[in-house]
Amino acid sequence: MRIDKYLWCVRYYKTRSLATTACKKGQVKINNDVVKPSREVYATDIIELRKNQINYTLKVNDIPESRISAKLVDLYRTDTTPKEQFEAQELLKYSKDYYRKKGVGRPTKKDRRDIDDFTDENE
């Protein structure tokens, strides 16, 4: 099965064209090799993909016939993504809370207090 179709079947991408685009951008690797969307996937392959600033690592257990339900995904792949990847995503969410768009103006008194409280917690 093609890698773009496999990633769509095991529900890492909502559409197959999104999976194809990710492969073309070099966000998908099989056994540490950047691959094209047409690359074949076999059982025991290790897939690394970058999606939403998280580096996922999967091991292919079996090849599905077609797109499968979310409950059956674990039969076809083993997710070996380190927990640190998800923790880094949580920190990124917190940093985005205090981001101000250009032209909004200077922070209000409440914004300044919130920023001070946040930096005090990290020290």
Side-chain angles (χ1 to χ4, degrees), residues 54-55 57 79-90:
I54 296 178
N55 294 324
T57 308
D79 192 355
T80 58
T81 306
K83 298 227 185 277
E84 295 85 33
Q85 293 292 326
F86 297 107
E87 292 168 1
Q89 182 70 14
E90 287 295 319

Side-chain angles (χ1 to χ4, degrees), residues 45-105:
D45 278 346
I46 305 295
I47 300 173
E48 298 172 22
L49 69 110
R50 182 163 175 83
K51 181 182 172 195
N52 297 333
Q53 297 181 344
I54 296 178
N55 294 324
Y56 292 96
T57 308
L58 340 159
K59 181 178 182 240
V60 179
N61 294 339
D62 199 7
I63 306 297
E65 292 294 320
S66 62
R67 189 165 167 96
I68 54 176
S69 68
K71 293 179 182 177
L72 299 177
V73 167
D74 289 334
L75 297 175
Y76 296 97
R77 62 102 175 121
T78 305
D79 192 355
T80 58
T81 306
K83 298 227 185 277
E84 295 85 33
Q85 293 292 326
F86 297 107
E87 292 168 1
Q89 182 70 14
E90 287 295 319
L91 289 175
L92 190 63
K93 285 181 186 178
Y94 287 124
S95 69
K96 286 182 179 179
D97 287 343
Y98 291 100
Y99 176 73
R100 297 180 62 81
K101 293 183 180 172
K102 188 173 181 177
V104 173

Side-chain angles (χ1 to χ4, degrees), residues 2-15:
R2 291 169 51 113
I3 182 65
D4 59 346
K5 188 172 182 182
Y6 179 81
L7 292 173
W8 170 73
C9 285
V10 294
R11 298 184 170 268
Y12 273 90
Y13 290 99
K14 191 171 184 178
T15 64

